[in-house]
Amino acid sequence: MNKAEMFNMLIAKELFENLALTKLNKKIIELENRFKEKHGDEVFHDYYEIAELAIEELSECITFSFEIGRKTAL
């Protein structure tokens, strides 16, 4: 399981417990559907892949920041 899939799994669990995330997720789904209708499946899949890679990149940056902070604290 890659980091984006793990993130999605954790978010899915949290959606049942967090109203703010539920509202945000609903808005994201509506925007994704509008984008898909406007630009088609192929472009949507490219967009989705870019979004997954951006999440993975963000995760790597967060990990790096924690490692730098930990090393600095020592």
Side-chain angles (χ1 to χ4, degrees):
M1 175 182 301
N2 67 34
K3 290 181 183 182
E5 290 170 335
M6 187 180 303
F7 177 81
N8 287 337
M9 183 182 71
L10 292 171
I11 291 297
K13 179 185 176 287
E14 186 67 19
L15 283 174
F16 291 108
E17 301 168 3
N18 187 321
L19 183 58
L21 277 178
T22 302
K23 288 179 179 180
L24 180 60
N25 185 258
K26 182 179 178 184
K27 186 172 183 174
I28 289 169
I29 290 171
E30 289 171 359
L31 289 170
E32 285 178 343
N33 288 336
R34 236 182 359 196
F35 185 93
K36 192 174 180 179
E37 288 173 10
K38 188 175 185 180
H39 300 288
D41 286 343
E42 187 175 341
V43 174
F44 176 77
H45 289 293
D46 289 346
Y47 150 80
Y48 193 81
E49 186 175 352
I50 290 167
E52 283 186 325
L53 291 171
I55 291 169
E56 191 171 340
E57 180 181 41
L58 179 60
S59 177
E60 289 296 326
C61 289
I62 291 168
T63 299
F64 177 72
S65 295
F66 278 113
E67 288 174 6
I68 293 297
R70 185 174 46 96
K71 289 177 183 176
T72 303
L74 298 175

